Amino acid sequence: MCSGGLFSPYVRSASPPASSAEHMKLSVVTEGGLLLQHLLAAGEKLDWKCPGFDAYFTSRTLENNRRNVWFAEYWEENFNCKLMSSSKKDDSSRKCTGQERISIDSKYEQEGKVQFVIDAVYAMAHALHNMQRDFCPENSGICTEMDLAGGKKLLKYIRSVSFNGSAGTAVTFNRNGDAPGRYDLFQYQWSNVSGPGYRVIGQWTESLQLNMEDMQWPRGEQDVPSSVCSLPCKTGERKKVVKGMPCCWHCEPCDGYQYQYDEFTCKLCSYNMRPNANRTACQPIPIIKLEWHSPWAVIPVFLAMIGIIATILVMATFVRYNDTPIVRASGRELSYVLLTGIFLCYIITFLMIAKPDVGVCSFRRIFLGLGMCISYAALLTKTNRIYRIFEQGKKSVTAPRLISPTSQLAITSSLISVQLLGVFIWFVVDPPNTLIDYDEQKTFNPYLARGVLKCDITDLQIICSLGYSILLMVTCTVYAIKTRGVPENFNEAKPIGFTMYTTCIVWLAFIPIFFGTAQSAEKLYIQTTTLTISMNLSATVALGMLYMPKVYVIIFHPELNVQKRKRSFKAVATAATMSSRLSHKASDRPNGEAKTELCENLDPNSPAAKKKYVSYNDHEI
């Protein structure tokens, strides 16, 4: 049972105590008051009732509780009545009858801290008992040693007590004099039965005991919400502290090519690096090049291999039938030069796709424009020769200069030497080297970024290297147009003309594609493929229109490859004159009559009329 005494925690004295006995009493009361404060603080949240105290206190009346000087004042306040004239109550208040009863005539409720008052008294009693047992084991009551011990020694005994309190829990104190805390933990919950209210979900008695299954969280969540202002940032994110709130921040991801340098900073990787997967450091950007198995390379390589095989077959055919009339009439020397240029146009495909190094880059510079230069230099020399022959034939029967095979080779070589001189100057001014271009495929997403290994040849340098060959091609086309009216039986001007027209169309399509993709992420692949296919098509057009008909005749119709009478320059001059006359009358005649007029204007008895017209391809002029 709980006892029902009252204990005052504070005692004041105007003068020192008169005796050591009074000093002991004062020490006991003072230390007991401090002890009560600690006990009350420890159990501030505990609402435990002592049933014995209720039985005792409700039985108190004015007759049986006169020792408590404050009880009369409590009686007046509790029952709202007046006991005596000296009372502070108003005169209008009713007089107390003395028959009032606590908990019957008043709203009585036990204060939750009563148990701690009781435990404080018991703690003091245990401390005094232990102190008396140590200082006066043979005496009963207070001995001289206890009388002289003082408050500090008593406090030591109070802190060392240990017993079960009125609530059935242990009463102890730590080295700081604090009693262990005991708390009931409540959570405000909604119940379908009782509605909203607090529900006990655990306790604290030196450690936390929580019943997680009894807890409720918003939106039916099972996990305990984090009770923090800001959650820790993820890897690769920096903290942006909220102004004025050092414990709160926003998490911002390091984006682009940035990585997390520290908790609060993102830094940019160097130009040849990119952040790793969790953005905690930088790693090298992968290096790529045009691979042989890429679709961008397979098509040009396939076309080049077919072209190389066809070129070798044509060249082998011409070598095998080198002394036959068709081969001799086509100008063997320039034919072999032209075939060499066509072969180099196909070979450049493999150099453009090969892995760049100093050697590959050097050969690229040499052969990039050399194959086209050789081809169109030879064709230009041919068309120029035909043009000069027939222009000279209109004026006189004297043959023009520099139309012999040796002269033609000299002219062709001089045209080719200009290209080689330009390449030599390029080598001296800017030696070949390789570089890694990180800007070409530096995408917005750093994980798609690539460094492109390539030769240090710019787009402008490529066009300049091809520029001279394109100039030869345009000039050759002009001559092909000028010689379009020459009788087809005398020369191969018309096949050359068709070759040049087609080639011009190919390169007119190449230029916008090449420069239009300069900003594309696939620039390396598109430009390389476009360039190599354009060169393959140019070589294929020349090979197909100028050589395949001759090879067809040589292989499948050898009866046509026979020696015929050579035509003198006088006959050529006559044909040129008649061709000039026909050009003036062509507008007055329907199609198909020009050649008839050529025959009509010749004297049937003249040697020229008696000669059978044969192809220029069959006879040298």
Side-chain angles (χ1 to χ4, degrees):
M1 294 293 292
C2 300
S3 61
L6 295 177
F7 192 86
S8 175
Y10 299 102
V11 175
R12 296 184 180 182
S13 178
S15 59
S19 64
S20 58
E22 292 180 356
H23 174 71
M24 175 60 72
K25 292 178 182 178
L26 177 60
S27 297
V28 170
V29 171
T30 303
E31 300 301 334
L34 295 175
L35 173 62
L36 179 58
Q37 285 181 314
H38 289 302
L39 288 170
L40 292 178
E44 185 175 359
K45 298 297 182 182
L46 190 62
D47 190 14
W48 186 85
K49 308 299 181 183
C50 180
F53 180 82
D54 288 340
Y56 166 79
F57 193 75
T58 54
S59 66
R60 297 298 90 192
T61 64
L62 293 172
E63 288 76 16
N64 61 14
N65 199 22
R66 295 183 181 276
R67 69 181 182 84
N68 192 332
V69 296
W70 295 287
F71 192 71
E73 183 178 350
Y74 163 77
W75 195 272
E76 289 181 332
E77 291 292 334
N78 188 50
F79 297 108
N80 195 22
C81 60
K82 187 177 181 180
L83 284 175
M84 58 193 74
S85 57
S86 61
S87 176
K88 297 179 181 179
K89 284 288 183 179
D90 298 337
D91 294 336
S92 59
S93 301
R94 68 179 181 87
K95 291 185 178 181
C96 298
T97 63
Q99 301 300 316
E100 296 87 358
R101 292 295 180 264
I102 300 174
S103 78
I104 298 176
D105 299 327
S106 65
K107 294 181 179 180
Y108 167 76
E109 182 180 358
Q110 183 184 147
E111 166 61 44
K113 298 180 176 62
V114 169
Q115 61 160 319
F116 301 108
V117 178
I118 298 171
D119 289 342
V121 174
Y122 274 111
M124 185 65 68
H126 278 283
L128 290 172
H129 175 75
N130 295 335
M131 187 177 183
Q132 194 273 340
R133 185 183 55 190
D134 292 341
F135 282 82
C136 314
E138 298 178 355
N139 300 329
S140 60
I142 299 175
C143 61
T144 305
E145 287 80 0
M146 286 183 66
D147 194 23
L148 300 175
K152 289 186 178 181
K153 289 188 178 180
L154 177 60
L155 180 60
K156 179 180 177 181
Y157 278 93
I158 292 173
R159 290 183 174 179
S160 63
V161 299
S162 178
F163 62 94
N164 288 330
S166 57
T169 57
V171 177
T172 57
F173 302 95
N174 58 25
R175 64 179 184 177
N176 297 322
D178 297 323
R182 296 189 301 273
Y183 302 92
D184 284 339
L185 304 179
F186 296 84
Q187 187 184 39
Y188 190 78
Q189 298 180 355
W190 172 267
S191 173
N192 294 330
V193 178
S194 58
Y198 286 96
R199 179 182 178 185
V200 178
I201 59 170
Q203 292 180 338
W204 173 274
T205 51
E206 297 184 359
S207 63
L208 178 64
Q209 296 92 34
L210 275 178
N211 299 321
M212 300 300 296
E213 61 274 7
D214 294 337
M215 301 175 70
Q216 292 182 4
W217 303 110
R219 297 179 295 277
E221 295 180 3
Q222 298 297 323
D223 297 333
V224 181
S226 299
S227 181
V228 293
C229 178
S230 299
L231 294 173
C233 292
K234 300 177 182 178
T235 304
E237 295 180 343
R238 74 178 186 93
K239 291 181 179 179
K240 184 179 180 181
V241 179
V242 178
K243 188 176 181 180
M245 303 175 67
C247 294
C248 299
W249 57 82
H250 299 299
C251 294
E252 291 185 347
C254 298
D255 56 0
Y257 289 81
Q258 294 180 333
Y259 71 100
Q260 185 183 5
Y261 178 72
D262 57 29
E263 190 177 7
F264 301 96
T265 310
C266 292
K267 280 193 173 182
L268 192 66
C269 294
S270 58
Y271 76 99
N272 61 341
M273 306 285 280
R274 67 178 183 181
N276 57 13
N278 56 11
R279 291 186 177 271
T280 55
C282 292
Q283 62 184 12
I285 294 177
I287 308 302
I288 62 169
K289 66 177 185 66
L290 183 57
E291 301 292 343
W292 292 101
H293 56 78
S294 170
W296 298 97
V298 169
I299 296 176
V301 168
F302 177 74
L303 295 177
M305 291 181 66
I306 293 178
I308 289 173
I309 294 173
T311 304
I312 293 174
L313 291 177
V314 170
M315 190 174 294
T317 302
F318 268 54
V319 171
R320 171 67 178 81
Y321 299 94
N322 187 60
D323 293 327
T324 60
I326 288 182
V327 176
R328 291 200 310 269
S330 62
R332 287 176 293 186
E333 296 78 8
L334 289 183
S335 293
Y336 290 129
V337 172
L338 179 57
L339 285 172
T340 303
I342 292 173
F343 183 80
L344 293 179
C345 286
Y346 289 122
I347 288 295
I348 191 62
T349 299
F350 301 92
L351 291 175
M352 296 300 294
I353 299 174
K355 182 179 180 180
D357 56 32
V358 176
V360 170
C361 293
S362 300
F363 282 114
R364 280 189 189 180
R365 290 190 179 189
I366 295 172
F367 293 106
L368 181 61
L370 183 60
M372 290 180 58
C373 177
I374 293 174
S375 300
Y376 298 128
L379 287 176
L380 176 59
T381 304
K382 272 194 173 188
T383 53
N384 175 263
R385 176 173 177 263
I386 296 170
Y387 174 76
R388 289 189 295 112
I389 288 174
F390 281 89
E391 283 297 312
Q392 183 70 20
K394 295 177 184 179
K395 301 175 183 178
S396 66
V397 294
T398 304
R401 295 181 302 171
L402 304 176
I403 62 172
S404 65
T406 304
S407 301
Q408 299 299 293
L409 287 177
I411 294 173
T412 303
S413 300
S414 62
L415 293 175
I416 296 172
S417 63
V418 175
Q419 174 76 17
L420 294 176
L421 178 62
V423 173
F424 176 76
I425 295 173
W426 188 7
F427 269 81
V428 173
V429 174
D430 183 18
N433 203 349
T434 60
L435 59 86
I436 301 176
D437 189 349
Y438 291 98
D439 295 327
E440 183 173 314
Q441 293 199 21
K442 202 160 193 177
T443 58
F444 180 78
N445 184 352
Y447 303 109
L448 299 178
R450 298 291 184 270
V452 180
L453 176 63
K454 60 182 183 179
C455 296
D456 59 342
I457 304 176
T458 64
D459 296 346
L460 182 60
Q461 289 173 335
I462 290 177
I463 296 301
C464 290
S465 179
L466 297 174
Y468 179 66
S469 300
I470 294 175
L471 177 62
L472 294 178
M473 178 183 68
V474 172
T475 307
C476 184
T477 304
V478 172
Y479 276 109
I481 295 173
K482 288 185 176 183
T483 58
R484 69 187 184 280
V486 174
E488 60 183 351
N489 290 338
F490 282 92
N491 60 83
E492 54 182 353
K494 283 184 173 57
I496 293 176
F498 289 133
T499 300
M500 300 316 302
Y501 305 151
T502 307
T503 305
C504 287
I505 293 174
V506 170
W507 287 98
L508 284 175
F510 159 77
I511 292 176
I513 295 175
F514 187 84
F515 287 101
T517 58
Q519 304 301 323
S520 173
E522 305 291 337
K523 173 185 174 182
L524 170 68
Y525 309 115
I526 297 176
Q527 289 190 343
T528 303
T529 303
T530 304
L531 177 61
T532 52
I533 289 180
S534 297
M535 299 189 74
N536 288 340
L537 290 178
S538 300
T540 302
V541 168
L543 187 67
M545 291 191 175
L546 298 179
Y547 289 96
M548 287 306 173
K550 299 174 184 178
V551 172
Y552 176 77
V553 172
I554 293 173
I555 301 299
F556 298 101
H557 294 282
E559 70 277 5
L560 300 179
N561 189 13
V562 294
Q563 179 69 40
K564 297 182 181 180
R565 295 169 59 186
K566 291 187 178 181
R567 183 155 302 281
S568 65
F569 184 77
K570 181 177 180 181
V572 175
T574 304
T577 304
M578 299 307 300
S579 177
S580 176
R581 293 179 185 177
L582 290 176
S583 64
H584 294 294
K585 298 181 179 181
S587 60
D588 299 330
R589 290 185 176 273
N591 293 334
E593 296 184 4
K595 192 179 294 186
T596 304
E597 183 176 351
L598 175 62
C599 297
E600 292 174 352
N601 283 275
L602 289 175
D603 185 357
N605 297 322
S606 65
K610 292 180 180 180
K611 292 180 180 177
K612 180 181 178 181
Y613 281 89
V614 295
S615 172
Y616 171 65
N617 294 329
D618 298 333
H619 292 274
E620 294 181 275
I621 296 177

